[in-house]
Amino acid sequence: MEVVLKALILGVSLLIVVLLIINAISVQKTSKNIFDLGMDLLTSNTAELSETGITQYNNAIIDGSRVTELIKSYWQTDNSVAVTVCTKDGQNIMYDHDGATYQLLGSLNGMPSADAKGQSLANPKSSIRQASLASHAEIETYDESNGYASSNPSVKGYINMNAQFKGSIQRDSNNTIRSIIFVQV
């Protein structure tokens, strides 16, 4: 009888230990899922906060002086956002420091349908010229140190400081903002 009682106590003890282990594993998995969800939310919120500085220009009307300031502020080696300006003289120029965004032009989402002269931007590589360190042929407003520099209104692509420009943002296939286009209105 004593052996049966010991076997019964041992069996119940083993059952309790197994249930505790199963419970601990379940709590650990739930904790991991909650932690992963929290990290995903944190990453998402961080991305939204970092884009706030750029998304403020989507559908916004700003003057030419702010457009030139943006070109100069985004003219950096490690920057992945290009600034494109479409002026009323029909010049469409992408100021893209290293030229990487220009290579994505055909695949970006959110492109305006027409430039400031009403010309189609359906084939952007043929209608937008590149101003980058590597490629800036015949772009009179190009400046190596700032991206843009012109005080001469007769120069093609000149950005009138008092003119109004409507902004739009373009995203790549990963939903990352790669370009801001300003079309003179």
Side-chain angles (χ1 to χ4, degrees):
M1 179 79 155
E2 193 174 303
V3 174
V4 173
L5 186 61
K6 284 184 180 181
L8 189 58
I9 291 173
L10 181 63
V12 170
S13 297
L14 283 175
L15 183 61
I16 290 172
V17 168
V18 168
L19 288 174
L20 286 173
I21 290 172
I22 290 172
N23 194 19
I25 291 172
S26 174
V27 167
Q28 187 268 338
K29 283 184 181 180
T30 303
S31 299
K32 184 179 181 331
N33 290 341
I34 290 171
F35 178 77
D36 289 345
L37 180 62
M39 288 304 294
D40 290 344
L41 286 172
L42 182 63
T43 302
S44 172
N45 288 339
T46 302
E48 285 178 26
L49 284 174
S50 67
E51 288 185 350
T52 302
I54 300 171
T55 57
Q56 68 178 328
Y57 298 108
N58 198 32
N59 295 316
I61 306 281
I62 65 171
D63 61 29
S65 62
R66 283 192 55 202
V67 172
T68 60
E69 288 171 16
L70 275 171
I71 293 169
K72 292 172 184 177
S73 70
Y74 282 107
W75 193 259
Q76 301 168 13
T77 303
D78 59 348
N79 181 40
S80 64
V81 178
V83 178
T84 304
V85 183
C86 302
T87 54
K88 291 240 178 175
D89 64 1
Q91 297 298 307
N92 306 319
I93 302 171
M94 175 179 275
Y95 297 90
D96 181 18
H97 189 270
D98 63 3
T101 299
Y102 187 81
Q103 301 306 315
L104 300 172
L105 256 182
S107 64
L108 296 178
N109 300 314
M111 292 291 291
S113 58
D115 66 10
K117 265 185 112 172
Q119 299 167 339
S120 173
L121 291 175
N123 186 2
K125 280 204 176 176
S126 66
S127 55
I128 297 175
R129 295 170 42 209
Q130 179 182 15
S132 68
L133 291 178
S135 176
H136 51 267
E138 299 178 23
I139 297 179
E140 298 174 69
T141 59
Y142 170 78
D143 178 71
E144 184 175 334
S145 60
N146 294 316
Y148 175 86
S150 181
S151 58
N152 184 352
S154 63
V155 169
K156 290 181 178 182
Y158 171 75
I159 300 171
N160 182 332
M161 299 300 146
N162 298 315
Q164 299 290 297
F165 292 83
K166 182 175 183 182
S168 63
I169 58 172
Q170 292 69 51
R171 296 178 181 268
D172 64 14
S173 58
N174 295 322
N175 205 30
T176 302
I177 296 175
R178 295 302 302 260
S179 172
I180 311 168
I181 293 184
F182 292 101
V183 178
Q184 189 173 355
V185 292

